[in-house]
Amino acid sequence: MKKKVCMIGTGYVGLVTGSCLAEIGHDVICVDKDKAKIDVLNAGGIPIYEPGLKQLVDRNRKRKRLRFTNNIKEGVRASDIVFIAVNTPPLPDGGADLSFVEACTREVASHANGRKLLVEKSTVPVQTGERISQTLQIIKTSGQAQLEVASNPEFLREGSAIEDFLKPDRIVIGVQSKWAEKMLRDLYAPLKATVVVTDIKSAELIKHASNSFLAMKISYINAIAEICEKVGADVTQVAQGMGYDARIGKAFLHAGIGYGGSCFPKDVSAFIKIAEAIGYDFRMLKATETVNTAARESMIRKLESVLWTMKGKTIAVLGLAFKPNTDDLRNAPAIDIIGSLLERGAHVRATDPVAMDRMRTIYPNITYCKDAYETAKGADGLVVVTEWPDFKKLNIAKLKKIMNAPVIIDGRNIFDPVKMAKAGFTYQSVGRPLLTREGLKPTTLKVVT
Ligand SMILES: NC(=O)c1ccc[n+]([C@@H]2O[C@H](COP(=O)([O-])OP(=O)(O)OC[C@H]3O[C@@H](n4cnc5c(N)ncnc54)[C@H](O)[C@@H]3O)[C@@H](O)[C@H]2O)c1
């Protein structure tokens, strides 16, 4: 049944979710306090890079099911279901900054009329629903307003967000009443997805527990990669052998330079903080963070092990976004890696299919190049930071010709070590043996007595 929806926060989650809800037949108003963002959208643009999003927004705007405004009062009053999809960034101590959620709750409370469901879509610590209810009670709504809180965490992944929304593994709804359950079941009915109905606190925990588990899986394989490097084994083969076990699964067993992005780092640290606040020392997640930091730092360590000093060297950086198919740079490994290179006096040349404009605001003075070949020109070393599909198809003979020295540190294991060694590269990847041109023998093998 068609619903009237207000999506507060028109960022990576709110814009995709709002547009997808319009796509499945609902009337959606997306609200954001950022005037520039709404102006871009109202002028027909898209403020973020997400495959397929422009077509989706254009289509639903034409159907008059989707509109954008700065006016939260208008959005709230016109809707039966109001989503909070604002940012919940990390505080300096690692906890979640809930001030945007709070501000948004207060605004909804002050404008609401009639009966509405207020749904947490933002990733929030357990017990936030109680805080939202408390705030609603403090801020007096108009006489007839009746607001009920629910939780509906989001699991979409940037880069495949539309597909993830339209074909979810599951939809989690945390509710306090049959009415709220029916509102959300009706909303998502066109997707014909598995719906998990819980209380609000459990729904909040499902999100943090899921993201932390995935981050832990990444750190686990990165720890295995460290061991592989020490003994000359191949982590990709280990991961493959593990992944056939249905209890383990193949996903998230790709060794690399660790997780980044706007979700895993902040959600893991927020979960550690929440646990601490309620008296549980989440040691497993602390170790996950430690392994992740080490994975990120390994790239510079490997580069220095080959190039010795960095001062005056030219380093090519392939990939800036925290993962392919997005322009999101929040907590992207590239930021730390470029920072470390600059600190050491290296000249940095970089490229990324969609994230260079955003990176220019962080590092305006490095050299941005149109593609990988231009980036590699004259470089003393090249680092692969993001596994964009185009980088996997590079002509390595051509790359070798244009580089000053054939040195590649591959943080995403996108090249075949045997081919790279045969082509004459000094090539180091993650958790795979070092190969020499002659014997293709592991050079790291040590006999332990
Ligand atoms: N990005 C992801 O892949 C992803 C996936 C799942 C869950 N989440 C969670 O979803 C939430 C949103 O993430 P995001 O990546 O979309 O963030 P974002 O920063 O891209 O977007 C948040 C938007 O909210 C707006 N906003 C903040 N306060 C507001 C207010 N009071 N009124 C109106 N607009 C307001 C901001 O201007 C911004 O445009 C976070 O809690 C995040 O953890 C993100």
Side-chain angles (χ1 to χ4, degrees), residues 221 224 228 232-244 253 413 431-433:
I221 200 66
I224 302 293
C228 287
D234 184 336
V235 73
T236 54
Q237 292 178 28
V238 177
Q240 196 185 14
M242 288 168 66
Y244 280 113
L253 285 182
N413 288 352
R432 300 189 295 180

Side-chain angles (χ1 to χ4, degrees), residues 55-357:
Q55 295 87 319
L56 190 73
V57 169
D58 288 349
R59 190 161 61 238
N60 286 289
R61 206 202 309 251
K62 267 193 207 124
R63 289 170 174 160
K64 300 212 178 306
R65 287 194 207 144
L66 181 64
R67 57 197 176 92
F68 303 98
T69 179
N70 288 125
N71 189 335
I72 191 165
K73 182 175 176 182
E74 181 194 337
V76 170
R77 294 228 158 175
S79 308
D80 308 316
I81 303 180
V82 179
F83 280 96
I84 300 176
V86 300
N87 36 334
T88 49
L91 288 164
D93 71 355
D97 180 353
L98 297 173
S99 59
F100 299 100
V101 173
E102 205 239 0
C104 174
T105 305
R106 294 168 81 92
E107 286 190 76
V108 173
S110 63
H111 298 309
N113 60 335
R115 191 173 191 191
K116 293 178 199 302
L117 190 63
L118 180 58
V119 187
E120 308 168 337
K121 175 62 88 183
S122 299
T123 302
V124 291
V126 63
Q127 294 179 326
T128 299
E130 288 175 353
R131 287 294 200 179
I132 292 176
S133 297
Q134 190 184 26
T135 306
L136 292 176
Q137 274 163 15
I138 293 169
I139 311 290
K140 288 270 173 268
T141 50
S142 77
Q144 298 94 31
Q146 221 185 322
L147 283 161
E148 184 175 324
V149 178
S151 166
N152 171 220
E154 185 50 59
F155 299 96
L156 61 75
R157 294 162 299 174
E158 288 171 22
S160 54
I162 295 169
E163 168 99 355
D164 289 347
F165 180 94
L166 296 172
K167 292 185 194 146
D169 290 338
R170 79 306 205 186
I171 290 167
V172 173
I173 58 179
V175 288
Q176 312 179 67
S177 71
K178 284 280 162 208
W179 173 75
E181 179 182 340
K182 182 163 181 346
M183 289 287 273
L184 289 171
R185 276 192 186 277
D186 286 350
L187 184 77
Y188 288 115
L191 296 180
K192 301 192 183 352
T194 303
V195 178
V196 179
V197 183
T198 70
D199 59 280
I200 293 179
K201 284 186 267 196
S202 301
E204 292 166 337
L205 272 173
I206 287 170
K207 176 65 191 174
H208 264 139
S210 301
N211 269 12
S212 298
F213 186 84
L214 293 171
M216 205 170 67
K217 216 172 163 192
I218 294 172
S219 278
Y220 186 81
I221 200 66
N222 281 336
I224 302 293
E226 286 267 349
I227 292 174
C228 287
E229 286 182 14
K230 289 185 193 304
V231 300
D234 184 336
V235 73
T236 54
Q237 292 178 28
V238 177
Q240 196 185 14
M242 288 168 66
Y244 280 113
D245 187 327
R247 294 168 304 174
I248 297 172
K250 291 189 171 84
F252 279 76
L253 285 182
H254 304 289
I257 47 174
Y259 56 80
S262 68
C263 291
F264 287 178
K266 85 169 170 63
D267 291 350
V268 169
S269 66
F271 208 15
I272 291 171
K273 271 292 183 201
I274 303 155
E276 194 180 294
I278 54 176
Y280 179 71
D281 182 7
F282 216 144
R283 290 176 292 269
M284 215 184 257
L285 288 189
K286 288 179 179 170
T288 297
E289 282 188 331
T290 307
V291 171
N292 197 55
T293 306
R296 201 174 275 203
E297 288 167 355
S298 70
M299 189 153 240
I300 298 291
R301 179 172 43 80
K302 286 177 181 166
L303 202 53
E304 283 181 330
S305 79
V306 180
L307 293 183
W308 193 7
T309 63
M310 289 290 149
K311 202 169 174 187
K313 301 246 164 73
T314 297
I315 305 300
V317 176
L318 297 197
L320 301 172
F322 85 93
K323 66 172 182 180
N325 292 319
T326 181
D327 59 351
D328 199 345
L329 284 180
R330 289 176 287 184
N331 222 318
I335 298 175
D336 287 354
I337 289 164
I338 293 174
S340 301
L341 291 170
L342 294 175
E343 243 173 60
R344 287 162 169 75
H347 305 296
V348 176
R349 296 168 69 78
T351 195
D352 187 285
V354 295
M356 288 198 283
D357 284 346

